[in-house]
Every structure is written in C-alpha cells, then in structure tokens.
Amino acid sequence: MSQISEIKKGDTKRDGKKTQDDIVYAHIFDAILEQRLSPGTKLNEESLGEIFGVSRTIIRRALSRLGYEQVVVLRPNRGAVVACPTIEEARQIVFARRVVEKAVTELVCENAQKKQVEQLRQMVRDEQACFDRGDRGAGIRLSGEFHLLLAEIAKNPPLLSFQRSLVSLCSLIIAQYESGAKSHCSYDEHFELIDAIAAKDKTKAVSLMMHHLDHIEEKLSLDDEIATDDLKAIFSNVRNSR
C-alpha cells in the first residue's frame, strides 16, 4: 500500500504530525464541507482504502469519528453512509446551531486578540477569492472553517466539538435542501461580523450572527440537490497526488 503521507504532498501544516486515520478523517470531513459528498452516499471501506492507500482498519477509525459527530451513519453489517437529515432533523440542527453560535459569538467578543481578528479577516478574504474564481466548493469549505475558527477562539472545547458536528451537518442540509440558484455571499456577512468582534460589540455581533443564520435557513426547501456518489471521482485530488 502507498504511504498516506503521499496524500496532498506538501500539506505539512495539516498532515505533518497526523495519524493515518486523522488524515482520512480530514479529507472526508472536507469533502462534506465542500458538498462533494452528497447526503446518503455509501462510504465503501474497500474503495476508500484503495483511494487513500490504507487498511480498512484505518478507514473504520476515521468513519467511527465521523459517526460520533453524526455526519456519517454507521449501519451494522451494511456499512457507513453520509448522513441524510430529514426536514425535521434539519430544523433541529439549525436550531442547535443558533444556540451554539450565539454562545460562541459572545465568547469570541470577550476573548479575540488582534492577531486572531486578522486571522479571521484573512480566512474570509480567502473565501471571497475562491468564489470570485468560481471555486464554490472551496469557498463553502472556508465559510464553514470560519465558523470553526470562531469556536476555537471562543476557548471552549465542548462548544468547538458541537460546532464541528453542526457545521458539517449544515453543509449536508444545504446540499440536500437549498433552493434556487447556488448564490453565496457569506463573506460579506462574515466581514461585518468581524468588525463587530474587533469592536467587542457583543450585542451587534450576536445580532449579525443570527441574521446570517436567518439567510441560511431562508434558502432551505424540500428540493433535494443531488451530487455524485462516485467515491473515486469525489477524491480524485487525492488519487492524482499519489
């Protein structure tokens, strides 16, 4: 089998000190954030093992972590699939996201340092650049990672753990239920939010965050967005780098 260190060569920041299952987990997590993995996609252990050049034991560990975060459903004797939230589950997830985001935003306003504020700004500039060049998947991923960075700055590990699950689940919900054209202007709202955080204006920051979540929820409908379930196509970037 190929060494997993061959995955995404040069990505030392991410892969340098990670275990094999950490790396597989991260790639699958990113594929969910970028909406390259559609809800309900079967995650065949043999195919994933071939793609990543690792044993099925490593794949199972990664899938187990994703199962714990509820973005993957582990079915006894039938394998794992990407979660496919129902409409009611989607509403519950969005509600939970509101609760967590409010707490995170308040803590970020209290804890954010100038260096972290600039880190947030750079992430949103990168997000905007992705959308400007038509790389929607990477833009969506960075949009989700922006919210994860906020949770890190909040300095509350349980909230960060909840946020990882909620952000990835919301990406699945958007892929499954978003209606209309695939427009995206989250970076404008993110910039406004950062300004409020920099000013330590907790009331304004929370209001902006709730407004941001309103926009996400308003785009949801019963119409499914169908994406490919071809694992080799989804992870073609990994295969091409090996």
Side-chain angles (χ1 to χ4, degrees):
M1 288 187 180
S2 303
Q3 292 291 325
I4 192 121
S5 59
E6 291 296 306
I7 296 175
K8 297 185 79 172
K9 289 181 180 178
D11 196 355
T12 55
K13 178 179 179 181
R14 177 192 196 149
D15 294 351
K17 296 182 180 179
K18 300 292 186 180
T19 65
Q20 291 181 328
D21 46 297
D22 285 337
I23 297 169
V24 172
Y25 163 88
H27 279 294
I28 298 175
F29 187 85
D30 281 358
I32 290 173
L33 284 190
E34 293 184 9
Q35 298 181 357
R36 289 184 285 119
L37 273 173
S38 61
T41 300
K42 185 175 181 179
L43 299 171
N44 182 276
E45 292 178 3
E46 184 175 354
S47 295
L48 288 171
E50 177 186 344
I51 289 165
F52 291 107
V54 298
S55 69
R56 293 177 68 172
T57 298
I58 298 298
I59 297 299
R60 289 191 193 104
R61 288 177 187 166
L63 294 178
S64 179
R65 290 175 61 183
L66 291 160
Y68 177 78
E69 293 178 357
Q70 300 181 51
V71 295
V72 164
V73 178
L74 304 175
R75 307 173 303 175
N77 303 317
R78 291 189 297 158
V81 296
V82 178
C84 189
T86 65
I87 289 294
E88 181 56 32
E89 288 170 340
R91 291 174 180 151
Q92 293 171 359
I93 290 164
V94 172
F95 177 81
R97 176 94 183 260
R98 286 181 179 277
V99 174
V100 170
E101 292 282 16
K102 180 178 184 295
V104 165
T105 302
E106 291 175 342
L107 288 172
V108 170
C109 286
E110 296 173 5
N111 297 326
Q113 305 298 313
K114 288 183 179 180
K115 183 178 180 180
Q116 293 171 317
V117 170
E118 179 52 35
Q119 187 180 2
L120 288 167
R121 291 192 197 281
Q122 184 57 53
M123 179 172 282
V124 179
R125 285 193 286 266
D126 292 342
E127 175 193 352
Q128 183 177 13
C130 287
F131 285 113
D132 288 346
R133 66 172 180 262
D135 192 349
R136 186 175 184 273
I140 291 173
R141 173 175 53 78
L142 285 171
S143 178
E145 289 182 354
F146 170 81
H147 288 269
L148 295 180
L149 180 55
L150 287 175
E152 289 180 13
I153 295 171
K155 296 181 179 179
N156 187 301
L159 283 178
L160 175 58
S161 179
F162 294 150
Q163 187 74 309
R164 285 192 66 82
S165 176
L166 291 170
V167 166
S168 51
L169 282 168
C170 279
S171 186
L172 289 175
I173 290 167
I174 291 169
Q176 191 173 357
Y177 296 117
E178 188 176 49
S179 62
K182 292 185 176 181
S183 60
H184 207 277
C185 58
S186 64
Y187 51 82
D188 291 328
E189 295 175 355
H190 286 169
F191 278 128
E192 292 179 28
L193 177 61
I194 293 170
D195 288 340
I197 290 170
K200 296 192 178 298
D201 188 337
K202 189 182 298 186
T203 300
K204 183 176 182 180
V206 169
S207 177
L208 287 169
M209 178 62 80
M210 294 302 104
H211 186 60
H212 178 51
L213 295 177
D214 284 342
H215 283 172
I216 294 174
E217 191 169 5
E218 286 167 3
K219 294 179 181 180
L220 302 180
S221 74
L222 291 174
D223 297 325
D224 290 348
E225 295 283 350
I226 304 299
T228 180
D229 60 359
D230 184 341
L231 294 178
K232 292 184 179 180
I234 290 166
F235 295 107
S236 61
N237 61 319
V238 175
R239 292 171 61 83
N240 293 337
S241 69
R242 287 172 50 203

